[in-house]
Amino acid sequence: MQKLPKLFIYLLGIIFVINLIQSYFTDLIFDEAYYWHYAQNMAWGYFDHPPMVAFLVKLSSFFFEGELGVRFMSCLLSIGTLIFIWLVIDNPKKKDYVLHFFVLTFSMTLLNAYGFFTLPDTPLLFFTAVFLYVYKKFITAPSVVLAIILGLVMSALIYSKYHAVLVIIFILLSNIKLVLNKYAWLAVFVALLGYLPHFLWLYENDFVSIKYHLFERPNRAYEFNDYTVGFFLNLLALFGFTFFWVYKALWKTKGTDAFNRALLFLTYGTILFFFISSFNRRIQTQWIIVISISLAIIAFNYMLENENAKKWIYRMGLVNIVLLVFVRFILVFEEISPLHYESHGNKEWAASISDRVGDTPVVFENSYRNAPMYAFYSGNTSFSLNNVMYRRNQYSIDDSESKVQHKRVLYVSQYLSKGDIAVDLPKQKKGFGVYMDNFESFRKLRAILDESEISLKNDSPIELKIYNPYDFDIAINKLKYSVVYHTQYKRPEEIIGITPILKNPDLTVLKAKDTLYYSFTLPTFKMENPGYFKVAISENGLQPGMNGDNIKLVN
């Protein structure tokens, strides 16, 4: 491995210390709190993501408490990302431009932010840089050892985020001759073997993550400005004021060798993939973040050979850094912030509730964000009760529900117009909390239909199965049923109560691990042109849950 220049090590150390300080003084953001919740129950998979982010949080918690106990490993990985980007660049001139390298990379907005935030993109960036480093060595001199390492890195990539499959696919497409390389096949075998535990987890959990991301996620009608124009704005936002010269470097770079082709395929492939996707849904900036790695390499190589690019990327990079440093201060000090950000006031918010309710568990309606944030800062039990107007999440599949069953809880909702106590909610929302002395919910009940689509004109009875996955019996009279009609974009819009006919009317209890058999007819709807429906179950007067899958309605 190359020896790192002293200036490189000094600047790396400074950035590491800055990120540690930032991590310590910045309240968690909501996604970080959610991933902290993941780490309280380690598993080979989670509802929204593979397990790498939870693993990082768990590792961090062994070294520190509080926010640093969530972010410490991210600070380490971000340093590792910079090291591997540097090592991949083989231009001998680079040692004379260490400062330029740091200005370029530190000025990249999300590469900067993920220097301390713990999000799935943090390990994604690190393992993308590692993958490129190992791949460069592999194509130069393939061997069994490098194939095994490459396979393990590919596995770690997809353990970080499902989007990582694009990194692997585009780089492999850049060198199609690898299909004839026995070492490449060994790498693929090792990657699949390493990923087997997550495959098994997906199988045991009915492929819940895949189903959500591909089939259940709600959408809305295409909007050119928000979707496609927004995508191009995200491309600019990744690099701030250096964007012109970074993309010029991309345009000027030619695939003169296998590694350069890999960088170009990764960058152009990712951009093209999400450009096409932008005609279907709104693209989030972090979805395209992997091009920060390939473009950091491309842009720095271009800087080393082009004086004009070197001068302007350095100048504009410094402007970016000044702005990003100001934003970092804003994350900590709300008083200098022009707006309320999600890292502001979370400790105080949690204390404002826990000071009044003590250790009484708090159930938040429709908020996988508020529940873990409250638990993190109060140290008390919380749960997100998700109804059919929201979406499923980790609280839908883990054991959080069992921790509040048959206990006195404070039920908090922004939709209540009155209650026992008024509650300030994050993002400057207001809500109320209502005490429930014997809280009981059955959100894991499953409503199963054999059909995947049904005609809008159907007036025949539809068979309905209700499966009880719990290890206890449930009184049937505690359950009420609804049909929820959704738009063509899978957004719930109209809830209509139904009274399905029980096949065995003598039954009064749904036994543990058992199934009830009903029939029902679709109720008349008022909304225009529904595209889907699902069966929802309400228990003990709570709002209907997300118990059934979306069933397509056809004319």
Side-chain angles (χ1 to χ4, degrees), residues 155-166:
S155 186
L157 257 174
I158 311 180
Y159 269 121
S160 301
K161 198 170 183 178
Y162 293 122
H163 286 161
V165 72
L166 297 177

Side-chain angles (χ1 to χ4, degrees), residues 1-4 82-90 94 133 136:
M1 185 176 286
Q2 305 167 23
K3 184 179 179 181
L4 299 175
L82 295 176
I83 291 173
F84 279 102
I85 292 174
W86 176 264
L87 293 176
V88 138
I89 298 165
D90 53 15
K94 70 178 185 179
Y133 174 76
K136 188 171 186 178

Side-chain angles (χ1 to χ4, degrees), residues 264-279:
L264 294 175
F265 267 67
L266 173 57
T267 307
Y268 283 120
T270 302
I271 291 172
L272 180 61
F273 178 86
F274 285 110
F275 170 68
I276 294 171
S277 299
S278 75
F279 291 97

Side-chain angles (χ1 to χ4, degrees), residues 339-401:
L339 48 83
H340 179 85
Y341 186 62
E342 59 183 274
S343 66
H344 295 149
N346 293 320
K347 294 176 186 176
E348 294 78 9
W349 164 75
S352 72
I353 299 176
S354 61
D355 288 348
R356 288 181 286 174
V357 305
D359 59 1
T360 299
V362 178
V363 175
F364 292 90
E365 182 183 32
N366 286 358
S367 187
Y368 71 90
R369 295 156 63 89
N370 292 345
M373 188 70 80
Y374 178 78
F376 180 83
Y377 281 115
S378 70
N380 297 328
T381 301
S382 68
F383 175 59
S384 174
L385 186 83
N386 310 307
N387 67 42
V388 76
M389 302 305 291
Y390 195 46
R391 78 164 180 90
R392 298 180 73 204
N393 49 63
Q394 183 60 24
Y395 287 95
S396 304
I397 65 172
D398 64 19
D399 66 348
S400 301
E401 184 183 47

Side-chain angles (χ1 to χ4, degrees), residues 229-243:
V229 173
F231 163 73
F232 285 108
L233 291 177
N234 287 338
L235 288 175
L236 304 186
L238 282 177
F239 305 107
F241 289 107
T242 64
F243 79 88

Side-chain angles (χ1 to χ4, degrees), residues 531-546:
Y532 298 84
F533 80 92
K534 69 173 53 164
V535 176
I537 303 172
S538 172
E539 67 276 46
N540 301 311
L542 297 170
Q543 291 294 316
M546 285 169 288

Side-chain angles (χ1 to χ4, degrees), residues 8 106 111 116 183 212 217 259 299 459 509 518 534 544 551:
F8 186 96
F106 198 67
L111 207 58
F116 62 96
Y183 298 112
Y212 172 71
R217 204 164 190 160
F259 186 70
D459 57 5
V509 169
Y518 288 93
K534 69 173 53 164
I551 307 298

Side-chain angles (χ1 to χ4, degrees), residues 95-136:
K95 292 182 180 180
D96 298 324
Y97 297 99
V98 172
L99 189 58
H100 289 72
F101 173 83
F102 278 93
V103 168
L104 170 67
T105 53
F106 198 67
S107 71
M108 293 183 175
T109 53
L110 291 189
L111 207 58
N112 186 307
Y114 295 145
F116 62 96
F117 282 138
T118 294
L119 301 165
D121 307 278
T122 308
L124 174 66
L125 288 170
F126 172 74
F127 287 112
T128 298
V130 175
F131 180 56
L132 288 170
Y133 174 76
V134 177
Y135 174 75
K136 188 171 186 178

